[in-house]
Amino acid sequence: MRLSVSLGLWQDRPAAEALLTATAADELGYPEVWIGEMATYDAFALATAVGLRTRRVALTIGPLAVTVRDPVMIAMGVASVADLTGREVNVAVGTSSPLVVESWHGRSRARAGRALRESVEVLRPLLDGEKPAFEGEVLRSRGYHLRLPAPRSSLTVAAFGPSAVRTAARADRMVLNLVTPASAARLVDRLTDVAGTEAGPGTRTAAWVTTAVHPGVEAIDRIRRAVVGYLAAPGYGEMFAEAGFAEIVAFARTGPHPRELMAAIPDELLHEVALLGDAETVRKRLNGYAAAGVDEVALVPVSTEADPGGVASLEALAGLLPAPGEQAPPRRPPDEAGR
């Protein structure tokens, strides 16, 4: 199974540690770095900095919220990073959360699933340097094509619910976040079921999985804090309940203070959605995701005072990487013209 790295963007750690993670991934031979966007760096700015500080690693920017960034903005940003860094740059899109979209940006998430699907339809020609003429139900784009060289990026869709999985079937990759192997297996099966009726069969599946090799108390608590917001969420709560944590899910849905909920989360729950332990334990857990049909795990290394940027965790797992040249980044297949 392919291994890549996703920048953690831990909000209670120095923002610049993301660059430590990225440069370590490049030096250790990981083929790709995922660069998301939370509350600190703009994703395109951070991707440019990463591209200029590394030698060969491919970049995937996102998932970017389609109700915040329109397809032309995304295509211009991706092309800019590719041109400035000379690096392969791919893009991931998703619907993001009500907190980010509605509270932070003051945008509506109404019909977000439709916006996701239409964004994928518009992005494909834009990233190929073509001029789309698209009139959708929530998006439209007409008359613009990239002035920079077309990056011909692969497209990834962040998915969890049925609508997003159907959209992912039209993309090159589906990415999952914070999932158990059992939940990942169901989503892979759902993707397989719809792929035959959608435009893009053969979509690969990636999963972002938080990782800490030989984790200390700080690492465990950082993961526990990250899980708090998901326990009561539709779909995620059911996933945790299925894994044996129905009581903590029920408690989360009573609306307790986040500190109270965090204190109630057992370590065993974290092990269901994270890679924790020594290198051999992590390897066995990775086998569980492989058995679920996941093609790629993007390690999200936990950054701590003892391990800034999660570099030690990446070093401990670098031995699982294949020899150079055997693990190429995912690229879109050539079109009929051989491009």
Side-chain angles (χ1 to χ4, degrees):
M1 183 174 58
R2 186 173 188 268
L3 293 181
S4 57
V5 174
S6 177
L7 305 185
L9 305 178
W10 304 99
Q11 295 187 57
D12 49 358
R13 294 293 303 169
E17 287 184 349
L19 292 169
L20 293 178
T21 305
T23 54
D26 182 61
E27 292 167 0
L28 291 167
Y30 290 89
E32 180 182 15
V33 167
W34 298 69
I35 300 167
E37 190 169 68
M38 270 298 295
T40 53
Y41 295 118
D42 170 88
F44 296 114
L46 180 55
T48 301
V50 169
L52 294 176
R53 295 188 185 208
T54 55
R55 293 180 298 165
R56 57 183 177 269
V57 70
L59 311 175
T60 290
I61 301 175
L64 301 170
V66 296
T67 48
V68 173
R69 295 185 187 265
D70 65 67
V72 169
M73 292 174 64
I74 294 172
M76 289 178 67
V78 172
S80 298
V81 176
D83 190 65
L84 292 168
T85 65
R87 198 62 56 80
E88 177 189 345
V89 183
N90 301 306
V91 65
V93 291
T95 58
S96 194
S97 68
L99 172 66
V100 171
V101 175
E102 297 176 345
S103 297
W104 291 4
H105 291 278
R107 303 287 185 86
S108 172
R109 286 186 82 251
R111 308 199 69 190
R114 188 68 198 178
L116 181 62
R117 188 178 186 91
E118 292 183 2
S119 292
V120 169
E121 292 186 47
V122 180
L123 275 169
R124 184 73 84 194
L126 279 170
L127 293 167
D128 287 349
E130 300 169 7
K131 187 185 296 185
F134 183 83
E135 292 283 344
E137 295 179 23
V138 296
L139 293 178
R140 65 179 183 272
S141 180
R142 184 180 299 275
Y144 177 79
H145 67 87
L146 291 172
R147 271 59 170 179
L148 293 170
R152 288 192 52 78
S153 307
S154 70
L155 270 172
T156 299
V157 169
F160 191 76
S163 175
V165 172
R166 288 194 297 270
T167 297
R170 304 175 66 86
D172 301 295
R173 271 189 303 191
M174 174 175 72
V175 63
L176 315 172
N177 181 40
L178 201 75
V179 290
T180 64
S183 182
R186 281 194 299 274
L187 290 163
V188 170
D189 288 343
R190 187 178 299 163
L191 178 69
T192 302
D193 289 342
V194 302
T197 61
E198 296 290 342
T203 304
R204 294 169 59 81
T205 301
W208 285 10
V209 188
T210 305
T211 303
V213 179
H214 298 298
V217 172
E218 183 185 357
I220 294 294
D221 284 346
R222 185 149 290 118
I223 301 170
R224 183 178 282 110
R225 187 175 297 111
V227 167
V228 165
Y230 289 88
L231 286 170
Y236 285 99
E238 285 70 22
M239 177 188 74
F240 284 117
E242 177 192 49
F245 303 97
E247 289 187 8
I248 189 70
V249 171
F251 177 55
R253 288 178 170 170
T254 67
H257 190 282
R259 284 196 299 270
E260 188 179 3
L261 178 57
M262 179 178 165
I265 298 173
D267 289 355
E268 292 79 7
L269 182 148
L270 306 181
H271 284 268
E272 290 293 323
V273 291
L275 301 171
L276 304 172
D278 58 24
E280 178 61 19
T281 299
V282 169
R283 184 189 67 78
K284 292 177 180 178
R285 284 281 294 156
L286 283 168
N287 289 341
Y289 285 99
V294 173
D295 302 296
E296 171 187 350
V297 164
L299 306 173
V300 188
V302 181
S303 181
T304 63
E305 194 67 30
D307 183 20
V311 172
S313 289
L314 296 182
E315 290 174 341
L317 300 176
L320 300 178
L321 295 170
E326 293 182 5
Q327 180 173 249
R331 300 186 65 93
R332 287 177 49 199
D335 59 19
E336 293 180 357
R339 292 178 295 178

